[in-house]
Amino acid sequence: MPSVTIHDVAERAGVSIKTVSRVLNKEPNVKPETRDRVLAAAEALRYRPSVSARSLAGSRSYLIALFYDNPSPAYVSDVQRGVVTTCRETGYHLVVEPFDSAGADAADLVRATIATLRPDGVILTPPVCDRRQILDAVDETRAPYVRIAPDGLIDRAPYVWMDDKQAAYEMTGHLLKLGHRDIGFIMGHPEHGAGHLRFEGFAQAMQDQGCPVRPERVKQGYFSFRSGFDCAEELLAPKDRPTAIFASNDDMALGVLAVAHRHGLTVPTDLSVAGFDDTPAASTVSPQLTTVRQPILEMAQAAAEMLIAGECELQPGEKPPSRLLPFDIILRESTAPPRG
Amino acid sequence: MPSVTIHDVAERAGVSIKTVSRVLNKEPNVKPETRDRVLAAAEALRYRPSVSARSLAGSRSYLIALFYDNPSPAYVSDVQRGVVTTCRETGYHLVVEPFDSAGADAADLVRATIATLRPDGVILTPPVCDRRQILDAVDETRAPYVRIAPDGLIDRAPYVWMDDKQAAYEMTGHLLKLGHRDIGFIMGHPEHGAGHLRFEGFAQAMQDQGCPVRPERVKQGYFSFRSGFDCAEELLAPKDRPTAIFASNDDMALGVLAVAHRHGLTVPTDLSVAGFDDTPAASTVSPQLTTVRQPILEMAQAAAEMLIAGECELQPGEKPPSRLLPFDIILRESTAPPRG
DNA sequence: CTTCAGCTTGACAGCGCTGTCAACGCCCAT
DNA sequence: ATGGGCGTTGACAGCGCTGTCAAGCTGAAG
């Protein structure tokens, strides 16, 4: 391969390869003039250090590994873009490992991948970041890792997150401020922690405004369009129905929209609907959905930053760091004051 | 790091590291008994060769790089899963590089990434695989690469594809067989080649059945929901309207559905609608969309196979290989015989 | 003018593996 | 018996870089 090596740069700059290495790694104690010569030579030769050589010789691999298991493609896509954005600034690269995190050999795959790649950091998204077996496997390799939006196990390892409860609180507040008093809520999958937090936020907001949360107004969904549809059917069929419905995610909110439509209810005039996640569909449907935007990209960026900065190489007993990122309440067409 | 090296395995098996290397790389001329001893030792030690060391010492990096620029998340997700599936069987890993392929520094990014990573293969998806600048950049690095569903430049480099024209031909045939004679067509983005091919397939099918393609029935869309919506508006507003509409992709077909709905038309009774791509939304909406499923995952798998098998390391003048994969026509609820 | 700290630089030894090449032993043909 | 071919194995030299360590130099302090 006709590739240019550090040697070529050293020769052209009239210094030793070690000095080139110093300059490229921004090590201190290099005379500015020397630095400039080296930089010029590297530039002229379009020199790019080999990741393999660096990782073999040094203590960094310039690789971040992302393990994920089938969250929505849009979610994964955002995560990847976020991570890569950060990586670009620092010469890092992202290796992706989609896999079945519930499979029998999931932990082995994680161990094997980390062992061969020796990434400087590992990123885990839900639901991978909530599986003990996987966390154990990663721990075993001693590779630094961050979890994105983990559901509990807060003290165990570093993570980045957004405040689901607060977001649900504020969204409910929005509905309340609009004048709604009778609000239906569709819960998320019982095994998914965020679902629970969102309900808590809802309940808290209602309580703070002196609005009772009527049990028959709260339905158990599963984050799917279908479950949203079914819950909405139960909520909207009776004569006595809520003036607004807050679904724990957009897919279910879409189900609510469908049911409202079937029942001849106009959204938002007859019924306000709020979702959560700001999925692409949320702004495609008509009326466009009022929802909560999760800072997915930002969380991913933050995760990569923490890893690359070395913030996740913990001493035993050290408290794992974490970062909280702000969400956005996206007001669109599906919410309005109640009729009358 | 307390990681086990090839040395440890060699010691445990009582052979030289070279022999371990032979066994792991499935080189010939190793006594079966020796092979077994080595394998047992490697197994016992849970040995995993270091990708960096292998790539530095040998001629393979065990890395595949995927460059992509914002096709839909679902598309990218499928591509990645396909590639990774193949990678897993052979100890390869996938590095992803989302980027702005139209940016001024796009080619540089490609060059730099390939130079530092030295991947054994590069995969390019639309629209990246259609940009001359990018192809030139990859060529320059002499890294083997495959394009997924490229739009032309057929002789230039290896690729995998599906027959868009034939698929559109067959889908149109389906509509025709149902009894439709007056079919509207919504074209894709003019700069996206698949769009053109799909139109050709449509036109060909119409012609073969002696159905004239009326110019006012063909609208220029841009693959977006919005553009589909607008085109459908033009198609459906007049009294004289087609009995079926074939949109070049699902997003636009969804737009058609929305317009039909606004106009009080029932799909498929009053209007048949066909899409292309089989996006997730296609089976979520009501009525579910009749569409064409692209073998995205399979194309990605094939691409990785070609790369790993070395089929893409071409001699100058050698004809680039390609693989054609079969699509599926997915018949769902949105198409039916025309009224009366 | 000497001393020593501190800045700047380079020599050198690997990192963990593969490619090359040579050595060894075996079996068959002569 | 002898030579040649080939299956099997290991020694060894790097791959392109970083970490270590020491040398050379400078300038300030004594």
Side-chain angles (χ1 to χ4, degrees):
Chain A
M1 227 175 326
S3 71
V4 17
T5 73
I6 196 173
H7 211 98
D8 305 321
V9 179
E11 209 159 79
R12 188 179 230 268
V15 298
S16 72
I17 58 171
K18 178 61 212 185
T19 296
V20 177
S21 171
R22 281 199 184 87
V23 173
L24 269 37
N25 291 293
K26 305 194 200 311
E27 285 177 32
N29 301 335
V30 177
K31 220 200 301 184
E33 180 206 312
T34 310
R35 171 185 310 282
D36 293 345
R37 273 221 315 287
V38 170
L39 254 17
E43 178 83 9
L45 263 22
R46 288 167 162 277
Y47 167 69
R48 307 292 169 187
S50 147
V51 165
S52 329
R54 301 229 276 186
S55 102
L56 186 54
S59 54
R60 313 169 62 170
S61 66
Y62 294 90
L63 255 29
I64 299 278
L66 169 69
F67 289 92
Y68 64 90
D69 177 12
N70 159 68
S72 77
Y75 190 96
V76 177
S77 172
D78 276 357
V79 169
Q80 293 185 0
R81 282 194 304 139
V83 175
V84 168
T85 302
T86 300
C87 285
R88 288 269 154 78
E89 299 162 5
T90 42
Y92 270 75
H93 291 273
L94 173 64
V95 178
V96 299
E97 297 288 342
F99 74 128
D100 171 15
S101 65
D105 45 0
D108 275 342
L109 180 102
V110 169
R111 264 189 293 260
T113 302
I114 297 180
T116 47
L117 249 25
R118 279 151 220 295
D120 292 340
V122 172
I123 296 178
L124 269 22
T125 62
V128 180
C129 60
D130 298 317
R131 296 192 194 282
R132 278 219 165 64
Q133 294 184 332
I134 305 292
L135 298 184
D136 289 343
V138 180
D139 268 333
E140 216 173 277
T141 67
R142 322 182 85 238
Y145 65 103
V146 203
R147 297 171 294 159
I148 291 184
D151 166 24
L153 296 175
I154 262 11
D155 296 327
R156 169 150 186 176
Y159 61 97
V160 296
W161 64 303
M162 66 153 266
D163 195 334
D164 279 89
K165 181 173 174 182
Q166 180 64 23
Y169 184 93
E170 291 184 21
M171 179 60 88
T172 307
H174 162 65
L175 260 13
L176 255 7
K177 205 175 322 164
L178 247 24
H180 295 279
R181 307 263 100 197
D182 187 358
I183 305 175
F185 189 87
I186 303 182
M187 303 180 75
H189 198 293
E191 284 179 24
H192 193 313
H196 194 113
L197 291 171
R198 292 173 193 177
F199 174 67
E200 280 181 26
F202 164 75
Q204 183 74 57
M206 292 291 276
Q207 190 184 313
D208 286 1
Q209 293 302 314
C211 272
V213 174
R214 296 164 53 189
E216 70 274 25
R217 291 297 192 236
V218 179
K219 299 294 175 185
Q220 178 69 58
Y222 298 91
F223 279 147
S224 65
F225 176 88
R226 184 73 231 171
S227 69
F229 191 96
D230 294 342
C231 292
E233 199 63 71
E234 294 178 35
L235 250 13
L236 298 178
K239 274 276 171 299
D240 168 41
R241 64 169 94 89
T243 62
I245 294 181
F246 182 8
S248 306
N249 80 344
D250 285 352
D251 284 353
M252 296 195 298
L254 258 25
V256 176
L257 249 31
V259 171
H261 197 88
R262 276 174 46 124
H263 285 249
L265 297 171
T266 304
V267 174
T269 332
D270 302 320
L271 178 76
S272 282
V273 178
F276 206 113
D277 285 348
D278 194 25
T279 55
S283 46
T284 298
V285 293
S286 172
Q288 294 182 18
L289 217 51
T290 286
T291 187
V292 177
R293 189 186 82 88
Q294 295 197 55
I296 304 179
L297 206 126
E298 293 82 350
M299 289 195 286
Q301 253 180 278
E305 279 167 24
M306 292 170 71
L307 252 14
I308 294 174
E311 293 172 24
C312 302
E313 289 154 30
L314 307 181
Q315 301 310 318
E318 196 175 337
K319 185 160 179 290
S322 67
R323 306 241 277 243
L324 172 65
L325 283 98
F327 52 82
D328 289 314
I329 300 282
I330 313 273
L331 268 21
R332 285 201 277 244
E333 306 165 350
S334 68
T335 50
R339 222 193 187 82
Chain B
M1 225 176 330
S3 71
V4 16
T5 75
I6 195 173
H7 212 98
D8 305 321
V9 179
E11 208 160 81
R12 189 179 229 266
V15 298
S16 74
I17 60 170
K18 179 61 212 185
T19 297
V20 176
S21 172
R22 281 199 184 87
V23 173
L24 268 38
N25 290 295
K26 304 195 202 310
E27 286 177 33
N29 301 335
V30 177
K31 221 199 302 185
E33 180 205 311
T34 310
R35 171 185 309 283
D36 293 345
R37 272 220 317 287
V38 170
L39 254 18
E43 177 83 10
L45 262 24
R46 286 167 162 280
Y47 168 68
R48 308 290 170 189
S50 147
V51 166
S52 331
R54 302 228 275 186
S55 100
L56 184 55
S59 54
R60 313 168 62 170
S61 66
Y62 294 90
L63 254 30
I64 299 278
L66 169 68
F67 289 91
Y68 64 90
D69 176 11
N70 152 69
S72 76
Y75 191 96
V76 177
S77 172
D78 275 357
V79 169
Q80 292 186 359
R81 284 192 305 139
V83 175
V84 168
T85 302
T86 300
C87 286
R88 290 266 155 80
E89 299 162 4
T90 42
Y92 270 75
H93 291 273
L94 173 64
V95 178
V96 299
E97 296 289 342
F99 74 128
D100 172 15
S101 64
D105 45 359
D108 274 342
L109 180 102
V110 169
R111 264 189 293 261
T113 303
I114 296 180
T116 45
L117 248 25
R118 279 150 220 294
D120 292 340
V122 172
I123 296 179
L124 268 23
T125 62
V128 181
C129 59
D130 299 317
R131 297 193 194 283
R132 278 219 166 64
Q133 294 184 332
I134 305 291
L135 298 184
D136 289 343
V138 181
D139 269 333
E140 215 173 278
T141 65
R142 321 182 88 242
Y145 66 103
V146 202
R147 297 171 294 159
I148 291 184
D151 166 22
L153 296 177
I154 262 12
D155 295 327
R156 167 148 189 179
Y159 61 97
V160 296
W161 63 303
M162 66 153 268
D163 195 334
D164 277 271
K165 181 173 173 182
Q166 179 64 24
Y169 185 91
E170 291 184 21
M171 178 60 88
T172 308
H174 161 66
L175 259 13
L176 254 8
K177 204 173 327 161
L178 247 23
H180 295 278
R181 308 263 100 195
D182 187 358
I183 306 176
F185 189 87
I186 303 181
M187 303 180 76
H189 198 291
E191 285 178 25
H192 194 313
H196 194 150
L197 292 171
R198 291 173 193 177
F199 174 68
E200 279 182 26
F202 164 74
Q204 184 75 58
M206 292 291 274
Q207 189 183 315
D208 287 0
Q209 293 302 312
C211 272
V213 175
R214 298 164 53 188
E216 69 273 24
R217 291 298 191 235
V218 178
K219 299 294 176 186
Q220 180 69 59
Y222 299 90
F223 280 146
S224 65
F225 176 89
R226 186 73 230 174
S227 68
F229 190 96
D230 293 341
C231 292
E233 198 63 71
E234 293 179 36
L235 250 15
L236 298 177
K239 272 278 171 300
D240 168 42
R241 64 169 92 90
T243 61
I245 293 180
F246 181 7
S248 305
N249 81 344
D250 285 352
D251 284 352
M252 296 195 298
L254 259 25
V256 176
L257 250 31
V259 172
H261 197 88
R262 279 174 44 124
H263 285 248
L265 298 171
T266 305
V267 174
T269 331
D270 302 320
L271 178 76
S272 281
V273 177
F276 206 113
D277 286 348
D278 193 26
T279 55
S283 45
T284 298
V285 294
S286 172
Q288 294 183 17
L289 216 52
T290 286
T291 187
V292 177
R293 188 187 82 87
Q294 294 197 55
I296 304 176
L297 205 127
E298 293 83 349
M299 289 195 285
Q301 253 180 279
E305 279 167 25
M306 292 170 70
L307 252 14
I308 295 175
E311 293 172 25
C312 303
E313 289 154 31
L314 308 179
Q315 302 309 318
E318 196 175 338
K319 185 160 179 291
S322 68
R323 306 241 280 242
L324 172 65
L325 282 96
F327 54 82
D328 290 313
I329 301 282
I330 312 273
L331 267 23
R332 285 200 277 243
E333 306 166 350
S334 67
T335 51
R339 223 192 188 84

